[in-house]
Every structure is written in structure tokens, then in C-alpha cells.
Amino acid sequence: MNVQTKFAGLVKADQKDIILFPGGIPSFEDEREFLLHHFSENTPFYCLQSVKTPALAFITADPFSFFPDYQVELSAQTTESLSIEEETDVSVFTILTVNEPFEQTTANLKGPVVINMVSGRGKQIVLQNPEYHTRHRLQQPSLKKEEG
Amino acid sequence: MLVLTRKKDEAIKIGTDIEVRIIEVDGGQVKIGIEAPKNVEIHRKEIYMAIQQENKEASGPLDPALVEQMIRFTHKGD
């Protein structure tokens, strides 16, 4: 199948690439199917593209590359609703609110998107940790440079 | 809106499988316990609304010039 995307034109996708969000995403509760694709080859950003609405896409990133201390605890409810069996089946993404200039871009660490890559089910969860909010300034990806 | 008065340790049943109990009352703050099936999502309203609002903003239009900035951002210091 082909998915018309907001940022990358027409993208070829297999049914197995489509992630089901049974409850939609807050504010977009009727959007149940999303395609996860690379934003552009040489960035660590991904798009979460609605299958039925080409204009609806979220720019997301791996939160752990930008916030190395970030912790996501999955509730029993999440584990069950996404049929999570192994922690390694799970990928976590943070939704970015891209601002001009890009240095002002923020990441929503309060509401990460959790995807079971095996079952193809996803959900935006809300973390209880009061340290996390919806707008954390994006930091440079951590560069593992040796000092000295 | 239905308004009910409850004391500490009293509860309210909503349907057959949801129970809301007053755990503690302290000044202007009330501690509430909720028992509900796992498929019922429970959120602090203002936090859920903040997530909704952020999703709306995050899905807004994107200036093509920013795409270049995004690529540059991740390659600084290479």
C-alpha cells in the first residue's frame, strides 16, 4: 500500500509497518493507524504519519539520545493494552514541537509514544513523574567523545 | 453535573465496575482512590489537556527552512 505523507510524499508501506493506536492520540482520538518512517535519511528524527490524514504527522525522536537520563515506566495497564511480553519489543518516541529557530524545539517528555514493534500497537502514555513536562528544550544529541 | 457530598472513607459507585473513594481530606486537598477496569484510562485532567494541547501544536505546519536546520542541528560537533 502507499501512504501519502506530510513530509516525504508517497511512501510505500507494508501492512506490517502500520501501527495501530486503538485509542487514537489525545486530540486525535479518531486517528487509529500511523506509519512510522524516517524523517530524512541523515537525521535521528522519525515521522509518525497518519494513514488516513496526509496532513497529520508528528515529528518524533528517540528521547534517550537527547535526554540520556530519561526514564519511562510502563504501567501494568500499558503492558496489557499493548500486549507487551518482552521489554525489548518496545520502542519509545518523544513527540517534538518544532520551533523557529530549531534550537527552540521542545520535546514532550510527559507524554511519550510507546510502540510494541512486535504486535504493531502503540499508545501515547502519560508519565506520573512530576519532573517531566510537555516542553523540554531539545539538547544536542549526546556525543560520546572521550576526554583527555 | 451530579454533585454528591461524601465523607472520608465513603465511596461512590459508577456503573458496576468503577469505585471512587475519599481517602483523605486535608484543608483544600482531597486524596481520592479509584478502582476501575484496566481499559479505563484515568488522568489528572490538566495534565491530559496539556498533552492534547501539545499534540495540536506539534502537528502544526512546518516551515521547509526548518528542515535544513533540523539536519544541521544533529550534525553539529561531528
Side-chain angles (χ1 to χ4, degrees), chain A residues 6-7 25-29 39 42-45 56-59 77 80 95-103 110-111 123-124 126 128 134-135 140 145, chain B residues 37-44 47-48 50-63 65-67 69-78:
Chain A
K6 183 174 177 179
F7 300 113
I25 284 182
S27 280
F28 303 96
E29 286 80 3
F39 180 78
N42 42 6
T43 71
F45 304 115
L56 179 63
F58 298 96
I59 296 173
Q77 188 195 33
E80 190 163 303
I95 296 179
L96 303 182
T97 302
V98 178
N99 290 313
E100 164 84 63
F102 189 76
E103 280 71 14
K110 190 74 180 171
K123 184 180 175 183
Q124 185 176 23
V126 179
Q128 298 296 329
T134 55
R135 292 179 186 174
Q140 291 284 333
K145 276 186 186 165
Chain B
K38 277 187 181 160
N39 62 348
V40 175
E41 302 246 353
I42 301 164
H43 298 290
R44 288 175 175 82
I47 293 173
Y48 191 77
I51 301 266
Q52 283 185 315
Q53 180 60 32
E54 203 56 31
N55 283 347
K56 278 187 199 158
E57 291 192 23
S59 60
L62 185 67
D63 187 335
L66 273 167
V67 176
Q69 290 186 29
M70 280 173 83
I71 294 167
R72 277 205 310 271
F73 182 80
T74 49
H75 290 276
K76 272 182 192 166
D78 276 8

Side-chain angles (χ1 to χ4, degrees), chain B:
Chain B
M1 184 190 286
L2 172 68
V3 179
L4 302 170
T5 302
R6 301 275 63 197
K7 295 192 177 103
K8 182 176 180 295
D9 296 329
E10 291 182 339
I12 292 167
K13 293 280 286 182
I14 302 173
T16 53
D17 48 12
I18 298 177
E19 186 173 298
V20 179
R21 185 174 292 276
I22 308 303
I23 307 292
E24 195 180 298
V25 182
D26 182 15
Q29 212 169 35
V30 181
K31 195 180 271 183
I32 294 172
I34 303 161
E35 270 187 52
K38 277 187 181 160
N39 62 348
V40 175
E41 302 246 353
I42 301 164
H43 298 290
R44 288 175 175 82
K45 185 173 178 181
E46 68 280 10
I47 293 173
Y48 191 77
M49 285 172 68
I51 301 266
Q52 283 185 315
Q53 180 60 32
E54 203 56 31
N55 283 347
K56 278 187 199 158
E57 291 192 23
S59 60
L62 185 67
D63 187 335
L66 273 167
V67 176
E68 267 305 302
Q69 290 186 29
M70 280 173 83
I71 294 167
R72 277 205 310 271
F73 182 80
T74 49
H75 290 276
K76 272 182 192 166
D78 276 8

Side-chain angles (χ1 to χ4, degrees), chain A residues 38-52:
Chain A
H38 259 289
F39 180 78
S40 138
E41 287 249 328
N42 42 6
T43 71
F45 304 115
Y46 298 84
C47 288
L48 198 57
Q49 170 68 51
S50 157
V51 171
K52 75 167 184 180

